[in-house]
Amino acid sequence: MFALIDCNSFYCSCERVYRPWLDDVPVVVLSNNDGCVIARTREAKRLGIPMGAPYFQWRDQLREWGVVCFSSNYELYGEMSARVMATLEDMFPRVEVYSIDEAFADLTGMQGDLVDLGREARERVLRWTGIPVGVGIGPTKTLAKLANWAAKTWRKSGGVIDLRDPARRDKLLQMTEVSEVWGVGRRLTAKLAPLGIRTAWDLATYDPASLRRQFSVVLEKTARELRGISCLELEEATPPKQMICSSKMFGSRVRELPPIREAVASYVTKAAEKLRSQNSLAGALQVAIRTGMHNPDQPRYANAINCPLPYPTDDTRVLAAAAVRGLDAIYRPGYAYSKAEVLLMDLRQRGEFTGDLFADAPRPGADRLMAVVDRINAREGRGTVRLGRIPASPEWAMKREMMSPRYTTRWDELMVVR
Amino acid sequence: MIGAGVYDGDVLVVNRAIEARSGDIIVAYVDGGMTVKRLHVTEDAVWLRAENAEYRPIQVTESLHVWAVATHNLHTLCSR
C-alpha cells in the first residue's frame, strides 16, 4: 500500500508561508531570469494563466488582475522541501522523495485507518511547515499518484483520496482521461487514441501483452498498476547521476570573454559541488556556449568542446581550469552570447577509479581542501569560499528582480516582525 | 515587547509546530501585517498585549492567525 504526498502549488505556497496576506491572492512564480510562469496558485490557474506563459507578454495583464509575481527563490524552496520531507519521514518508516514537492510513502503494516493517517499527515505538514499538501492512497504507486491528482481536483475530498476500494477505483479510472495517468505524456496519449484508449480505464483493461509489444514494458507495468497489481517498488536511495549539467542563461547578453570565463567557472563550481555530494569523480567535461537563437538581426553562433582532464577528479580548481581552456578555444569575438553550459560526464564512484601510472598525480590535499570548502559553504552560504576568478556580484548574473528574501538560510534575510 | 525582554533588533527563535496558549509570546498575522505580542485568552475575549506601556492591548475580534510561538530570544549584548 502506497501514499503519494504532493505539495499544492509548491513554489507559490513557499512564498505564501511568509506572506499570509497572499492567501487569497493569485500568485505565480517565474523561471530563471524571470522568463516564464512555472508555478501558479489555484486562483492564478482560474484566471487562465497558462503554465509557461512568457512573462514579458503577460506582465501588463498580470498587473491588471493583481497577480503577485515572484522570481524563483530555489534556496528557499529547497529548504522548505527538506522540512516537508523531514516531517513525512518522521511519520512514515519508508519514504521515497520523488521530487522537490512529492514523496511516496510505503504504508505496508501501518496501523489504523489510512484515510485518517492521510489527514493527519496533511495537518501535520501544514502546521509544522505551512505548506498545504494533498494525499493519494492506493495499492500501487500509479494508483496513489492518480488518487493524489483526484484529491487535488475534487476539493470535497478534503485533500485525501483512498483508492483501496476496487469499485471506487474503477469509477475514477472511467472518469479520468488517460493523459492524467503517471508516465503517460502528451505524445503517448496521441498514440493511444487510435487504439481506442482514451480513459485510464481503457488503458487498465487493454491487453497487457500487446501494450508491451506495441509500446514498452513500462506502459504494460502502468496498465497492471492501474488494476491494482504493484509492479513499482519504493526507491529509497536514488542511484547516483550519470551526468551532471549546470547551465544558465545570462541576465543580459555578454560579448566579452572575461565575464563568460567567470560564468563558466561559477557553473563548474556548482556542478562540482553536486559531483562531490554524490561521491563521484568526473572523467570528462564539456563546455558549450551560444548566442540567442531567436533574433534574426544578430549573428548566431553555438559551439561545444570536450575538455581533457588530467585524471578523473572532483577538484573544482582542476575542472574550472580545464573548462576555461576549452571556453577560450571555442569563444569567437563579435557575438552576443546568451548562455553557457558545463557538463560533467563519465562519472564514476571514487573506489572504481584506478590511477594512471603515467598521468599527472592529483594535487596533494585536494580532497581535504574541497571537503573544507563544502563545509564552509554549507554553513555560511554558497559562494562564501569560491575561486578567485568569480566575482561576488557578477554582471552576467541572472535577473531576479522580484525575488523574496531567503528567509530560512540567510541571517541577514530573516523575516522582520514589528 | 520591552516588558517581555524582547527589544528592537532581537532575533526570535519560533516554533510553528506547538499550539499557542494564553501567556505565550506569539508571532501573529493581524490587520495585514506580522506582529509579536503576548497572547492573553480570557473567558470571553482574546487579547494581544504589546508588553509596552505606550501601546494598548488589541482585542482580537476575527479569527486569530497565529504564525508561530516564540520559544527563545537572541539579544545582542555587544555589537562590536
Side-chain angles (χ1 to χ4, degrees):
Chain A
M1 199 58 57
F2 296 94
L4 189 264
I5 301 103
D6 176 299
C7 305
N8 302 345
S9 315
F10 179 58
Y11 297 169
C12 300
S13 296
C14 291
E15 302 291 352
R16 275 178 166 168
V17 169
Y18 298 89
R19 288 175 169 78
W21 49 93
L22 294 181
D23 271 359
D24 309 309
V25 176
V27 176
V28 299
V29 172
L30 306 171
S31 61
N32 283 339
N33 279 319
D34 299 340
C36 57
V37 172
I38 51 166
R40 305 159 298 162
T41 60
R42 180 178 276 272
E43 297 78 9
K45 285 176 198 167
R46 219 178 274 145
L47 286 169
I49 304 164
M51 196 67 170
Y55 178 61
F56 75 96
Q57 274 176 14
W58 282 75
R59 183 167 21 203
D60 295 338
Q61 181 67 78
L62 294 174
R63 197 174 297 150
E64 200 177 301
W65 280 334
V67 178
V68 177
C69 306
F70 289 97
S71 305
S72 35
N73 184 348
Y74 286 110
E75 202 165 312
L76 177 67
Y77 309 151
E79 165 68 20
M80 294 303 287
S81 169
R83 290 183 183 190
V84 170
M85 300 309 168
T87 307
L88 294 175
E89 277 160 1
D90 209 48
M91 280 194 80
F92 301 103
R94 296 183 62 214
V95 173
E96 171 191 344
V97 178
Y98 181 65
S99 72
I100 192 165
D101 59 354
E102 286 173 288
F104 285 102
D106 186 353
L107 302 183
T108 311
M110 299 289 286
Q111 301 293 314
D113 186 337
L114 294 186
V115 175
D116 284 350
L117 192 67
R119 293 224 174 89
E120 197 188 321
R122 274 194 90 214
E123 273 156 34
R124 196 187 285 191
V125 173
L126 182 63
R127 185 166 182 86
W128 289 18
T129 69
I131 302 290
V133 299
V135 181
I137 298 168
T140 68
K141 284 171 98 175
T142 306
L143 282 170
K145 187 111 171 126
L146 197 69
N148 182 282
W149 170 80
K152 263 191 197 167
T153 310
W154 288 285
R155 279 200 125 177
K156 262 194 278 173
S157 63
V160 182
I161 279 189
D162 175 7
L163 287 186
R164 276 175 301 166
D165 173 27
R168 267 193 102 188
R169 182 194 310 163
D170 292 353
K171 205 174 136 203
L172 178 68
L173 290 179
Q174 284 159 6
M175 286 161 57
T176 306
E177 285 178 40
V178 72
S179 58
E180 299 298 343
V181 174
W182 189 29
V184 179
R186 211 183 317 151
R187 219 180 282 168
L188 199 50
T189 304
K191 282 191 202 158
L192 291 171
L195 301 177
I197 302 177
R198 292 195 169 78
T199 65
W201 174 255
D202 295 337
L203 181 62
T205 50
Y206 207 82
D207 173 38
S210 48
L211 284 177
R212 178 202 288 248
R213 240 189 351 264
Q214 296 180 58
F215 297 95
S216 64
V217 68
V218 180
L219 192 64
E220 182 200 358
K221 280 186 181 170
T222 301
R224 284 187 195 280
E225 285 237 318
L226 285 175
R227 283 192 297 185
I229 304 158
S230 182
C231 304
L232 303 168
E233 295 283 308
L234 203 72
E235 288 169 26
E236 284 172 282
T238 43
K241 288 206 185 92
Q242 295 304 303
M243 194 192 275
I244 292 173
C245 173
S246 174
S247 80
K248 255 186 238 154
M249 301 281 288
F250 303 136
S252 52
R253 300 285 191 259
V254 181
R255 294 181 160 276
E256 304 300 319
L257 182 56
I260 303 180
R261 281 196 190 131
E262 295 169 9
V264 163
S266 138
Y267 299 173
V268 168
T269 304
K270 206 166 160 206
E273 274 172 20
K274 276 193 216 162
L275 185 69
R276 290 193 293 272
S277 74
Q278 65 169 35
N279 276 317
S280 300
L281 302 173
L285 185 156
Q286 189 187 73
V287 172
I289 48 172
R290 67 170 171 82
T291 60
M293 289 295 157
H294 301 297
N295 188 343
D297 305 331
Q298 290 211 331
R300 290 179 225 170
Y301 174 69
N303 204 351
I305 188 171
N306 259 298
C307 315
L309 295 171
Y311 41 82
T313 182
D314 62 2
D315 186 333
T316 304
R317 298 165 301 170
V318 177
L319 294 166
V324 168
R325 264 197 306 277
L327 169 70
D328 289 355
I330 56 173
Y331 170 83
R332 301 282 176 274
Y335 294 100
Y337 292 94
S338 68
K339 187 177 180 176
E341 179 181 281
V342 169
L343 210 57
L344 300 181
M345 295 169 297
D346 187 17
L347 306 190
R348 47 194 101 184
Q349 291 305 94
R350 279 190 155 268
E352 293 169 12
F353 150 62
T354 320
D356 180 341
L357 184 59
F358 301 103
D360 294 337
R363 288 165 80 166
D367 293 350
R368 270 168 54 209
L369 176 65
M370 289 302 128
V372 168
V373 167
D374 286 341
R375 252 199 330 267
I376 294 174
N377 286 339
R379 207 167 45 205
E380 307 291 334
R382 178 174 267 158
T384 304
V385 181
R386 59 180 185 272
L387 295 177
R389 66 162 78 237
I390 305 171
S393 45
E395 54 174 287
W396 43 264
M398 279 198 296
K399 259 192 283 182
R400 288 193 291 198
E401 288 166 348
M402 296 161 285
M403 191 163 103
S404 52
R406 293 164 291 183
Y407 300 103
T408 55
T409 44
R410 305 279 169 153
W411 280 108
D412 50 352
E413 297 181 24
L414 289 176
M415 188 170 85
V416 177
V417 177
R418 319 234 113 244
Chain B
M1 294 299 290
I2 292 168
V6 181
Y7 298 87
D8 196 19
D10 285 359
V11 175
L12 286 177
V13 180
V14 302
N15 189 340
R16 291 179 57 97
I18 56 178
E19 194 144 351
R21 291 193 194 145
S22 190
D24 286 345
I25 293 175
I26 60 167
V27 176
Y29 170 57
V30 182
D31 285 338
M34 295 290 222
T35 183
V36 185
K37 294 285 180 297
R38 171 105 55 197
L39 178 68
H40 189 68
V41 184
T42 63
E43 258 177 42
D44 47 359
V46 176
W47 296 88
L48 295 178
R49 292 182 172 166
E51 301 278 325
N52 183 334
E54 288 178 34
Y55 299 97
R56 302 175 134 260
I58 308 165
Q59 186 172 2
V60 182
T61 46
E62 290 163 43
S63 72
L64 176 65
H65 186 139
V66 178
W67 197 82
V69 175
T71 55
H72 301 82
N73 181 20
L74 289 175
H75 178 69
T76 304
L77 297 174
C78 172
S79 56
R80 182 166 73 245

